[in-house]
Amino acid sequence: MDTGASPDYFQVDKAVRGPAAGGRQPPRRVAEHPPEGEPMSWEFLIVVLAVIVTPGADFVVTLRSTVAGGRAAGTGSALGVGTASMIQGALVSVGLGSLIVQSQPIFTTLKWLGILYLAFLAVQSLRSAWRGRYADLDTGAHGSRGQGFRNGFLCNITNPKMFVFYLSLLPQFVGVHAPVWSWLVHASVLPLAGTCWLLGIVVLAGAVRERLLRPLTRRIIDAASGIALLGFSARLALQRD
């Protein structure tokens, strides 16, 4: 799930690891971890809420899937994004996420796969906007939920910055010696809440889909989606590893 903001915002060393990886303790300036067993803090929930409502590539992909293929395709995209984010959070929780971040070949490969995939989706959208041919996309058309899932999953799973984000966020709210299940519970909040948010977008977009399928409106949506996805791709390419 694209956070829509730079992971460096949290300013925590990338080397911080989950409990299973035996990583070193986070810096003192963010070491005020809650005692083990303490319920999830409101501060953590507020941060998660702020992250999920910030539009990112996952939002664009889900919205476009809903407009093009209906609620089935949009739902598939939302579930694909959530599944990828859940996997990323779980890998960080058991200590594997930090290995991906610290392994330059793996991190760089994953990063450029993400860049190329976002660019591919951008080109598709811009080409669709340029041609303006939507004869097969009427109000009764329904896209594949599987295709939507694939688009959402690949959009998010190929974004290595999500690992950095989790590594930056979780240590501020989970004790460094907390059990793995505590890390997993905290890591699952973002994908679950994010999926619910995207499903809400699917419902809203599906309700007005008939209007959104007008040729001029479709071309505007495709053009805006293509530009946005191209921007996300360029931003990821320009960010330092």
Side-chain angles (χ1 to χ4, degrees):
M1 182 166 299
D2 192 344
T3 62
S6 172
D8 295 335
Y9 171 80
F10 296 95
Q11 297 181 353
V12 177
D13 197 313
K14 292 181 182 180
V16 175
R17 304 182 181 181
R24 62 184 177 81
Q25 191 170 352
R28 290 183 179 274
R29 55 193 172 84
V30 292
E32 295 83 1
H33 300 296
E36 296 179 15
E38 182 174 311
M40 194 173 296
S41 69
W42 283 105
E43 290 84 355
F44 176 76
L45 297 177
I46 291 173
V47 170
V48 169
L49 180 62
V51 168
I52 64 175
V53 300
T54 303
D58 54 350
F59 174 88
V60 176
V61 169
T62 301
L63 178 61
R64 188 171 185 273
S65 293
T66 305
V67 175
R71 291 184 179 178
T75 299
S77 290
L79 294 177
V81 169
T83 300
S85 184
M86 186 73 77
I87 292 174
Q88 291 163 329
L91 290 176
V92 169
S93 296
V94 300
L96 296 179
S98 61
L99 299 180
I100 294 175
V101 170
Q102 293 175 355
S103 174
Q104 193 67 23
I106 296 177
F107 185 86
T108 301
T109 299
L110 195 59
K111 172 183 174 178
W112 281 100
L113 284 175
I115 292 170
L116 292 175
Y117 187 68
L118 288 177
F120 168 74
L121 294 178
V123 170
Q124 279 192 325
S125 295
L126 292 173
R127 184 176 59 182
S128 180
W130 177 262
R131 292 179 176 178
R133 299 174 184 174
Y134 304 111
D136 58 332
L137 294 175
D138 53 40
T139 56
H142 294 284
S144 165
R145 181 178 281 108
Q147 181 178 357
F149 182 91
R150 182 194 65 192
N151 289 339
F153 183 83
L154 291 177
C155 173
N156 215 42
I157 200 67
T158 56
N159 181 7
K161 294 296 182 179
M162 283 300 298
F163 290 109
V164 180
F165 174 78
Y166 274 116
L167 287 168
S168 301
L169 176 65
L170 294 181
Q172 300 190 55
F173 299 98
V174 185
V176 68
H177 299 299
V180 174
W181 66 262
S182 180
W183 284 76
L184 289 172
V185 168
H186 279 77
S188 67
V189 173
L190 179 62
L192 290 177
T195 300
C196 290
W197 169 257
L198 291 177
L199 289 175
I201 299 299
V202 170
V203 172
L204 292 177
V208 296
R209 182 170 179 253
E210 184 175 353
R211 297 180 180 180
L212 297 178
L213 283 176
R214 295 170 181 172
L216 179 59
T217 306
R218 274 300 312 273
R219 295 187 76 172
I220 293 174
I221 292 175
D222 280 339
S225 298
I227 293 173
L229 290 170
L230 201 59
F232 291 130
S233 177
R235 186 184 69 175
L236 185 58
L238 294 175
Q239 284 180 342
R240 295 181 179 179
D241 295 344

